[in-house]
Amino acid sequence: MDKNKNFTVGNYLLLRLEQSGLKHIFGVPGDFVLKFFDQILESPIKLVTTCNELNGGYAADGYARINGIGALTVTYGVGALSAANAIGGAFAERVPIVVISGSPDIKYHKEGTLWHHTLGDYDIPRKIFEKITVASEFIGDPEKAPEQIDCALKACLLHSRPVYIELPMDIAVSKCSPPENLLEIKGKPSDNASLEQAVKETIEMLSGSKYPIILAGMEIDRFSLKKEVTDFIEKSGYPFSSMLLGKTVLPEDHPQFIGLYHGKLTPDYIRERVEKADTILCIGALMTDANLGGFTAKLKEDILILANQSSVRIRDKIYENVSLKEYLDKLISNISKGNVKDYDIKPPGFSYYDPGTRKFSPVKGKKLSLSSLYKRMAHFIGKDDIILAETGTSLFSTPLMIMPGETRFIGQAFYGSIGYTLPATLGSCMAAPDRRVILFIGDGSFQLTCQALSTIIREKKTPIIILINNQGYTMERLIHDGSYNDIQPWKNHLLPEIFNGLRGMEIYTEDELEKALKIAEKSIEATIIEVHLGKWECSTSLKSMLHFEKY
């Protein structure tokens, strides 16, 4: 009997996703995708249904950041477009997600039949997703489906960005041949002349430098270049700093790490080391407002080398078609062995919440402040935890904790869509079931995507959620205050009980936090610790950031 006799396009897509490392797929059921859902249930990939498509997209994003690829499957039109904001964020922040949209049978596309969930023009959803993906495929022919699927998945993994695959119901169950080989993810080779010249100029600048420094950005993580960058840092002996989007792409307890650089928001020692350097090698960073401290960073172009995924900019020259990996490999081969002692490197602990340099003893009955919260949490996080920080006060406070070892930080510091991190916490938990996940989120953001807590509980995941209740949108109040920044107050700590989980905890004082953390450590359920803080309480870095920003 031919085991491939009943092999279908849907089977092909799922097999390719499995081969790419996918173990879970997020989604929301809808009539045009239900046949594909059945195929998922028969595959080794676990289907995780979420309460809405936006949450599913955010969950796929959090999953992909840990796992290396994520996927979301939704119904045509209403489902896909509901997820578009999440996919836009993934596109901006270089996150590889495969969006699979089930659609009406192929004949209805050809006839233009006005089925529900459609817009009259069947091409509209795909055209919308063309703007926020690196590949957008409509699978209209079973014979061509394997080539189209492979093309989309290669683009997703090669560029670390989302792709969109539209799969009509009848095509999903149509027969096709299984793949004969694994996907080969291989980009175009570098332009050799550009690569050689970029490396030559880089080595010349670094060799003639007395005060070099390396700035680490997020593409180090997105393109799995941690080893190459670490090898270069250790061979050269140079000090390195990270930028906000690149926090924890390299271990923060590394002896050559000096701290997070954030423009004028940076502690003096770190800011001076970066801004007084005579050569800055910036690897894999995006020059966004959040990364540059509201564009207050002083990175002089005449000493700046900006190396990204496929280009290197040195002063006013841009070398295109240069692979970042090939560039790093050649730098490692050509850089002279350096001595760390020559660079007088100081650790960042004195400027941050650091358990290695500062003790924290809770005072009974003392009202908890934002500062005391983070001083305590710096002692609580472990060397293999995944830490998420929501846009707003959390995103500008949580990064001030030193995160050692393999601790992973996730924050949407470029796209900044509020509500992102709660469903992203779900995704992180699914991707790394053996790691502890801790989320810092504000009450305003929590209200946008709170249904994700229901899915977290259903999936028996156990994140610790530090929910900072400051009575609304504090960050927006600091930008421009108005009654629109106030929200309906919820008893957030009771929501786990409503969602059929354990009751959360509500705290006001330092000793209450201590008790709550001890309970959370032993809990076999997701834990919400609702922390009540002042309406205007925020970090100094956030206040400074908003002062420098122009609105």
Side-chain angles (χ1 to χ4, degrees), residues 79-329:
L81 297 183
S82 291
N85 184 56
I87 303 309
F91 182 81
E93 301 214 352
R94 316 294 197 267
V95 182
I97 299 175
V98 181
V99 182
I100 303 154
S101 174
S103 70
D105 286 355
I106 189 68
K107 68 176 182 178
Y108 298 123
H109 287 261
K110 294 176 180 178
E111 295 169 0
T113 308
L114 296 180
W115 275 99
H116 60 280
H117 299 338
T118 68
L119 296 163
D121 181 343
Y122 279 80
D123 285 339
I124 289 177
R126 181 181 55 80
K127 288 179 179 178
I128 289 173
F129 275 89
E130 279 181 351
K131 303 297 182 181
I132 52 174
T133 60
V134 290
S136 179
E137 296 283 354
F138 173 76
I139 311 298
D141 183 340
E143 291 186 6
K144 296 179 180 178
E147 181 182 355
Q148 288 181 279
I149 290 169
D150 286 359
C151 180
L153 294 183
K154 286 179 182 180
C156 180
L157 293 167
L158 183 63
H159 299 287
S160 189
R161 275 184 156 168
V163 295
Y164 176 80
I165 297 175
E166 193 169 308
L167 189 62
M169 290 188 297
D170 54 339
I171 299 294
V173 296
S174 296
K175 294 178 183 179
C176 76
S177 300
E180 296 181 358
N181 301 298
L182 295 176
L183 275 178
E184 184 179 6
I185 311 302
K186 187 176 181 181
K188 293 190 296 186
S190 297
D191 178 87
N192 194 57
S194 295
L195 174 62
E196 293 294 338
Q197 189 60 31
V199 170
K200 179 176 181 292
E201 289 193 40
T202 300
I203 294 296
E204 287 176 355
M205 288 180 66
L206 291 171
S207 299
S209 176
K210 291 184 178 180
Y211 309 105
I213 196 154
I214 296 169
L215 285 179
M218 72 176 190
E219 288 184 347
I220 294 171
D221 169 71
R222 301 297 193 269
F223 299 104
S224 303
L225 296 171
K226 179 179 178 179
K227 183 183 184 302
E228 288 83 351
V229 177
T230 301
D231 287 349
F232 178 75
I233 286 170
E234 293 179 348
K235 184 178 180 182
S236 68
Y238 299 156
F240 75 93
S241 173
S242 62
M243 303 179 85
L244 183 57
L245 282 163
K247 184 173 175 65
T248 70
V249 297
L250 300 173
E252 296 192 346
D253 54 357
H254 193 287
Q256 289 164 251
F257 180 64
I258 66 167
L260 188 76
Y261 176 69
H262 206 197
K264 283 191 176 181
L265 314 184
T266 315
D268 289 344
Y269 165 71
I270 304 164
R271 180 172 51 80
E272 289 173 4
R273 284 300 299 256
V274 173
E275 295 183 355
K276 292 184 179 180
D278 51 8
T279 300
I280 300 172
L281 174 55
C282 190
I283 303 174
L286 300 183
M287 294 306 181
T288 70
D289 58 341
N291 250 1
L292 299 174
F295 296 117
T296 63
K298 294 183 179 178
L299 305 178
K300 299 176 183 176
E301 288 195 7
D302 60 334
I303 61 163
L304 179 64
I305 303 167
L306 187 58
N308 288 104
Q309 175 199 5
S310 59
S311 67
V312 178
R313 179 176 178 175
I314 303 177
R315 299 189 177 100
D316 59 347
K317 298 178 184 176
I318 300 177
Y319 297 98
E320 301 284 3
N321 301 318
V322 173
S323 157
L324 185 54
K325 185 182 186 313
E326 291 182 26
Y327 172 76
L328 288 167
D329 287 341

